[in-house]
Coordinates of all heavy atoms in Angstrom, one line a residue:
E1 N 1.0 12.4 0.0 CA 1.2 13.6 0.9 C 0.5 13.4 2.3 O 1.0 13.7 3.3 CB 0.6 14.8 0.2 CG 1.3 15.3 -1.0 CD 0.6 16.5 -1.6 OE1 -0.2 17.2 -1.0 OE2 0.9 16.7 -2.8
V2 N -0.7 12.8 2.2 CA -1.5 12.6 3.5 C -0.8 11.6 4.4 O -0.6 11.8 5.6 CB -2.9 12.1 3.1 CG1 -3.6 11.6 4.4 CG2 -3.7 13.2 2.5
L3 N -0.3 10.5 3.8 CA 0.4 9.4 4.5 C 1.7 9.9 5.1 O 2.1 9.7 6.2 CB 0.6 8.2 3.7 CG -0.7 7.5 3.3 CD1 -0.4 6.3 2.4 CD2 -1.5 6.9 4.6
S4 N 2.4 10.7 4.3 CA 3.7 11.2 4.7 C 3.5 12.3 5.8 O 4.3 12.4 6.7 CB 4.5 11.8 3.6 OG 3.9 12.8 2.9
S5 N 2.4 13.0 5.8 CA 2.1 13.9 6.9 C 1.8 13.2 8.2 O 2.2 13.6 9.2 CB 0.9 14.8 6.5 OG 0.5 15.6 7.6
N6 N 1.1 12.0 8.1 CA 0.9 11.2 9.2 C 2.2 10.7 9.8 O 2.4 10.8 11.0 CB 0.0 10.0 8.9 CG -1.4 10.4 8.6 OD1 -1.9 11.5 9.0 ND2 -2.1 9.5 8.0
I7 N 3.1 10.3 9.0 CA 4.4 9.7 9.4 C 5.2 10.9 10.1 O 5.8 10.7 11.1 CB 5.2 9.1 8.3 CG1 4.4 7.8 7.9 CG2 6.6 8.8 8.6 CD1 4.9 7.1 6.6
A8 N 5.2 12.0 9.4 CA 6.0 13.2 10.0 C 5.5 13.6 11.3 O 6.2 14.1 12.1 CB 5.9 14.3 9.0
N9 N 4.2 13.4 11.6 CA 3.6 13.9 12.8 C 3.4 12.7 13.8 O 2.6 12.8 14.8 CB 2.2 14.5 12.6 CG 2.4 15.9 11.9 OD1 2.9 16.8 12.5 ND2 1.9 16.0 10.7
S10 N 4.2 11.7 13.7 CA 4.0 10.5 14.6 C 4.4 10.9 16.0 O 3.9 10.2 16.9 CB 4.9 9.4 14.1 OG 6.3 9.7 14.1
D11 N 5.2 11.9 16.3 CA 5.6 12.3 17.6 C 4.9 13.5 18.1 O 5.2 14.0 19.2 CB 7.1 12.5 17.7 CG 7.8 11.2 17.5 OD1 7.3 10.1 17.9 OD2 9.0 11.2 17.0
T12 N 3.9 14.0 17.3 CA 3.2 15.3 17.7 C 2.1 14.9 18.6 O 1.2 14.1 18.3 CB 2.7 16.0 16.4 OG1 3.7 16.2 15.5 CG2 2.0 17.3 16.8
P13 N 2.1 15.5 19.8 CA 1.0 15.2 20.8 C -0.4 15.6 20.2 O -0.5 16.6 19.6 CB 1.3 16.0 22.0 CG 2.8 16.3 21.9 CD 3.1 16.4 20.4
Y14 N -1.4 14.7 20.4 CA -2.8 14.9 20.0 C -3.0 15.0 18.5 O -4.0 15.4 18.1 CB -3.4 16.1 20.7 CG -3.3 16.0 22.2 CD1 -2.4 16.8 22.9 CD2 -4.1 15.2 22.9 CE1 -2.3 16.7 24.3 CE2 -4.0 15.0 24.3 CZ -3.1 15.8 25.0 OH -3.0 15.7 26.3
Y15 N -2.0 14.6 17.7 CA -2.2 14.5 16.3 C -3.1 13.3 15.9 O -2.8 12.2 16.4 CB -0.8 14.4 15.5 CG -1.0 14.4 14.0 CD1 -1.2 15.5 13.3 CD2 -1.0 13.2 13.4 CE1 -1.4 15.5 11.9 CE2 -1.2 13.1 12.0 CZ -1.4 14.3 11.3 OH -1.6 14.2 9.9
K16 N -4.0 13.5 15.1 CA -4.9 12.5 14.7 C -4.6 12.1 13.2 O -4.7 12.9 12.3 CB -6.4 12.9 14.8 CG -6.8 13.4 16.1 CD -6.7 12.4 17.2 CE -7.1 12.9 18.5 NZ -6.6 12.2 19.6
A17 N -4.3 10.8 13.0 CA -3.9 10.3 11.7 C -5.2 10.4 10.8 O -6.3 10.1 11.2 CB -3.4 8.9 11.8
V18 N -5.0 10.8 9.5 CA -6.1 10.9 8.6 C -5.7 10.1 7.3 O -4.6 9.8 7.0 CB -6.4 12.3 8.2 CG1 -6.9 13.1 9.4 CG2 -5.2 13.0 7.6
D19 N -6.8 9.7 6.6 CA -6.6 9.0 5.3 C -7.9 9.2 4.5 O -8.9 9.9 5.1 CB -6.3 7.5 5.5 CG -5.7 6.9 4.3 OD1 -5.5 7.6 3.2 OD2 -5.3 5.7 4.4
F20 N -8.0 8.8 3.3 CA -9.3 8.8 2.6 C -9.5 7.5 1.8 O -8.6 6.8 1.6 CB -9.3 10.0 1.7 CG -8.3 10.0 0.5 CD1 -8.6 9.5 -0.7 CD2 -7.1 10.7 0.7 CE1 -7.7 9.5 -1.7 CE2 -6.2 10.7 -0.3 CZ -6.4 10.1 -1.5
D21 N -10.7 7.3 1.5 CA -11.1 6.1 0.8 C -10.8 6.3 -0.7 O -11.5 7.1 -1.4 CB -12.6 5.8 1.0 CG -13.1 4.5 0.3 OD1 -12.2 3.7 -0.2 OD2 -14.3 4.4 0.2
F22 N -9.8 5.6 -1.2 CA -9.3 5.9 -2.6 C -10.4 5.5 -3.6 O -10.6 6.3 -4.6 CB -8.1 5.1 -2.9 CG -7.5 5.4 -4.3 CD1 -6.7 6.5 -4.5 CD2 -7.8 4.5 -5.3 CE1 -6.2 6.8 -5.7 CE2 -7.3 4.8 -6.6 CZ -6.5 5.9 -6.8
K23 N -11.1 4.4 -3.4 CA -12.2 4.0 -4.3 C -13.3 5.0 -4.4 O -13.7 5.4 -5.5 CB -12.7 2.7 -3.9 CG -13.8 2.1 -4.8 CD -14.4 0.8 -4.3 CE -15.5 0.4 -5.2 NZ -16.2 -0.8 -4.6
D24 N -13.7 5.6 -3.3 CA -14.7 6.6 -3.3 C -14.2 7.9 -4.0 O -15.0 8.5 -4.8 CB -15.2 6.9 -1.9 CG -16.2 7.9 -1.8 OD1 -17.3 7.8 -2.5 OD2 -16.1 8.9 -1.0
A25 N -13.0 8.3 -3.7 CA -12.4 9.5 -4.3 C -12.3 9.3 -5.8 O -12.6 10.2 -6.6 CB -11.1 9.8 -3.7
M26 N -11.9 8.1 -6.2 CA -11.7 7.9 -7.7 C -13.1 7.9 -8.4 O -13.3 8.4 -9.5 CB -11.0 6.6 -7.9 CG -10.5 6.3 -9.3 SD -9.3 7.6 -9.8 CE -9.4 7.4 -11.5
T27 N -14.1 7.3 -7.7 CA -15.4 7.3 -8.3 C -16.0 8.7 -8.4 O -16.5 9.0 -9.5 CB -16.4 6.5 -7.3 OG1 -15.9 5.2 -7.2 CG2 -17.8 6.4 -7.9
R28 N -15.7 9.5 -7.5 CA -16.1 10.9 -7.6 C -15.3 11.7 -8.7 O -15.9 12.5 -9.4 CB -16.0 11.7 -6.3 CG -17.0 11.3 -5.2 CD -16.8 12.1 -4.0 NE -17.7 11.7 -2.9 CZ -18.9 12.1 -2.7 NH1 -19.5 12.9 -3.6 NH2 -19.6 11.6 -1.7
A29 N -14.1 11.3 -8.8 CA -13.2 12.0 -9.7 C -13.6 11.7 -11.2 O -13.5 12.6 -12.0 CB -11.7 11.6 -9.5
I30 N -14.0 10.5 -11.4 CA -14.4 10.2 -12.8 C -15.9 10.4 -13.1 O -16.4 10.2 -14.2 CB -14.0 8.7 -13.2 CG1 -14.7 7.7 -12.3 CG2 -12.6 8.5 -13.2 CD1 -14.5 6.3 -12.6
G31 N -16.6 10.9 -12.0 CA -18.0 11.3 -12.2 C -19.0 10.2 -12.2 O -20.1 10.4 -12.6
E32 N -18.6 9.1 -11.8 CA -19.6 8.0 -11.7 C -20.1 7.9 -10.2 O -19.4 8.3 -9.3 CB -19.0 6.6 -12.1 CG -18.5 6.6 -13.5 CD -17.9 5.3 -13.8 OE1 -17.8 4.4 -13.0 OE2 -17.5 5.1 -15.0
S33 N -21.2 7.3 -10.1 CA -21.8 7.1 -8.7 C -22.3 5.7 -8.6 O -23.0 5.2 -9.5 CB -22.9 8.1 -8.5 OG -23.5 7.8 -7.2
E34 N -21.9 5.0 -7.6 CA -22.3 3.7 -7.3 C -23.7 3.7 -6.6 O -24.4 2.7 -6.5 CB -21.3 2.9 -6.5 CG -20.0 2.6 -7.2 CD -19.1 1.8 -6.4 OE1 -19.3 1.7 -5.2 OE2 -18.1 1.4 -7.0
S35 N -24.0 4.7 -5.9 CA -25.1 4.8 -5.1 C -26.3 5.5 -5.8 O -26.1 6.5 -6.5 CB -24.8 5.6 -3.8 OG -26.0 5.8 -3.0
S36 N -27.5 5.0 -5.6 CA -28.6 5.6 -6.1 C -29.3 6.5 -5.1 O -30.4 7.0 -5.3 CB -29.6 4.6 -6.7 OG -30.0 3.8 -5.6
M37 N -28.6 6.6 -3.9 CA -29.2 7.3 -2.8 C -28.5 8.7 -2.6 O -28.4 9.2 -1.5 CB -29.0 6.5 -1.5 CG -29.5 5.1 -1.5 SD -31.3 5.1 -1.1 CE -31.2 5.7 0.6
E38 N -28.0 9.3 -3.7 CA -27.4 10.6 -3.6 C -28.4 11.7 -3.2 O -29.6 11.6 -3.5 CB -26.7 11.0 -4.9 CG -25.5 10.1 -5.2 CD -24.8 10.6 -6.4 OE1 -24.9 11.9 -6.7 OE2 -24.2 9.8 -7.1
M39 N -27.9 12.7 -2.5 CA -28.8 13.8 -2.1 C -29.0 14.7 -3.3 O -28.1 14.9 -4.1 CB -28.1 14.6 -1.0 CG -28.0 13.9 0.3 SD -27.6 15.0 1.6 CE -25.9 15.5 1.2
A40 N -30.3 15.1 -3.4 CA -30.7 16.0 -4.5 C -30.6 17.4 -4.0 O -31.1 17.7 -2.9 CB -32.0 15.6 -5.0

């Protein structure tokens, strides 16, 4: 959905393309954390 929104708005003035880090999102989704520096 995000990528298709970027493609659909390729001719829209001042549109800023967005994406997300899949690995980070998947890590958060399964509840694991690679970092020991999380905010408490």
Side-chain angles (χ1 to χ4, degrees):
E1 291 176 22
V2 169
L3 294 172
S4 60
S5 175
N6 288 344
I7 291 170
N9 288 296
S10 64
D11 292 330
T12 304
Y14 301 106
Y15 179 81
K16 306 297 181 200
V18 292
D19 201 357
F20 63 90
D21 182 14
F22 184 83
K23 181 181 176 188
D24 180 52
M26 192 65 199
T27 301
R28 288 184 185 276
I30 59 176
E32 295 178 2
S33 176
E34 292 181 350
S35 174
S36 61
M37 304 274 301
E38 289 187 29
M39 292 192 294

